[in-house]
Amino acid sequence: MEKMNGMGVEPFMSREELFFKRKKLNRTKLLAYGFEKNAAHYTYETTIMEGEFQLTVTIEDTGTIETKLIELASAEEYVLHRTSAAGSFVGSVKAEYQAVLQKIADQCFETDIFKNEQTKRVIDYVRETYQNELEFLWPKTPSNAIFRRTDSGKWYGALLTVQKNKLGLPSDDLIEVLDLRNEPQKIEALMDGVKHFPGYHMNKKHWFTICLDDSVSFEELKELIDESYLLAVK
């Protein structure tokens, strides 16, 4: 039985674990997908290879994932899909097995890049208020994402991970920041180089940046997010 950890990334990952890298379990989505809740775990069964194999995927509440592949004709566990074995048949088994895991990762897990508590509160606020989810547009920079209005398709926020010195701060440490829209006159008034900075990688006349380190209160953040959302209407 193959075990994977869907709540974090171990130093040495199996090929299967890569599907769940930087992913966070969404239990509601598991049930909607077809998993059954049993005590402290969820179980999903399906067949692959035109019914020749039964695949069981078990996910613990902790996020640990176990898979078991049974060859139905022999009732024995099949393991070649987890080895370097070659050949067209085992290749097809591997492909279908991994396709199931990829679909579960896509539909039952959420991207879990940002770690700062204030960043997570921003994500939750946007989800609850505007029903918008983060969009990760750049595979080469997975720690950058945007919020987009559903109606206009325009961005109204960007969550980024940058070095503090990119903002003019005296440190090479990484920090999570939020880019927002606002009127040029308000942006000019906000700029202090301590809490509010020129828009990082954005038009600095219409965008500004906030460090998500609690230097700006969450109440102020909510107001600024709301203003940015309204400015992205068209």
Side-chain angles (χ1 to χ4, degrees):
M1 185 173 286
E2 180 78 0
K3 291 188 177 183
M4 295 165 278
N5 189 338
M7 299 296 282
V9 181
E10 300 299 325
F12 299 98
M13 290 183 293
S14 69
R15 190 173 300 172
E16 288 82 1
E17 282 179 299
L18 293 174
F19 295 115
F20 302 93
K21 182 181 179 181
R22 294 176 174 171
K23 296 280 189 179
K24 179 176 65 175
L25 177 63
N26 184 315
R27 293 166 181 81
T28 301
K29 290 183 177 181
L30 280 182
L31 296 174
Y33 187 84
F35 278 81
E36 293 186 359
K37 181 77 166 69
N38 300 290
H41 62 268
Y42 301 81
T43 303
Y44 175 76
E45 292 184 351
T46 189
T47 57
I48 64 173
M49 297 294 290
E50 298 182 345
E52 289 187 44
F53 294 85
Q54 178 175 290
L55 172 60
T56 302
V57 181
T58 303
I59 302 179
E60 303 291 337
D61 264 336
T62 58
T64 300
I65 301 163
E66 297 182 358
T67 69
K68 190 170 186 178
L69 190 61
I70 299 294
E71 186 176 20
L72 294 177
S74 65
E76 294 182 354
E77 184 172 3
Y78 186 84
V79 297
L80 292 180
H81 63 299
R82 298 199 298 263
T83 71
S84 59
S88 60
F89 182 78
V90 68
S92 296
V93 175
K94 286 181 181 180
E96 291 196 24
Y97 168 76
Q98 291 175 1
V100 172
L101 294 184
Q102 184 65 69
K103 192 173 181 181
I104 291 171
D106 291 343
Q107 298 192 24
C108 303
F109 286 72
E110 299 172 353
T111 303
D112 188 28
I113 298 293
F114 301 104
K115 304 302 181 184
N116 185 283
E117 286 304 315
Q118 193 171 52
T119 308
K120 292 180 179 180
R121 292 184 71 190
V122 166
I123 295 169
D124 289 341
Y125 177 73
V126 168
R127 177 183 292 127
E128 293 167 7
T129 307
Y130 300 113
Q131 292 75 55
N132 293 145
E133 297 289 343
L134 280 173
E135 295 182 43
F136 293 84
L137 304 180
W138 306 284
K140 291 184 178 180
T141 52
S143 57
N144 296 338
I146 61 102
F147 292 117
R148 185 200 309 267
R149 281 189 66 129
T150 304
D151 51 4
S152 68
K154 287 193 173 183
W155 302 3
Y156 60 92
L159 284 175
L160 312 168
T161 302
V162 303
Q163 287 182 306
K164 289 184 176 180
N165 57 22
K166 300 293 185 182
L167 303 176
L169 296 171
S171 174
D172 293 333
D173 292 344
L174 292 175
I175 191 169
E176 293 170 8
V177 304
L178 176 65
D179 280 358
L180 294 171
R181 295 174 179 263
N182 216 303
E183 299 287 359
Q185 60 270 26
K186 181 161 185 176
I187 291 176
E188 186 176 350
L190 283 172
M191 288 305 99
D192 57 12
V194 178
K195 296 182 178 181
H196 310 91
F197 302 84
Y200 181 74
H201 270 319
M202 294 292 193
N203 183 317
K204 293 173 173 51
K205 182 178 180 180
H206 298 285
W207 290 80
F208 67 103
T209 296
I210 298 171
C211 292
L212 295 173
D213 57 359
D214 295 310
S215 57
V216 174
S217 73
F218 193 65
E219 289 304 311
E220 181 183 347
L221 270 177
K222 290 193 292 185
E223 292 177 8
L224 293 170
I225 290 169
D226 294 343
E227 291 172 1
S228 187
Y229 182 85
L230 291 175
L231 286 169
V233 69
K234 59 182 179 179

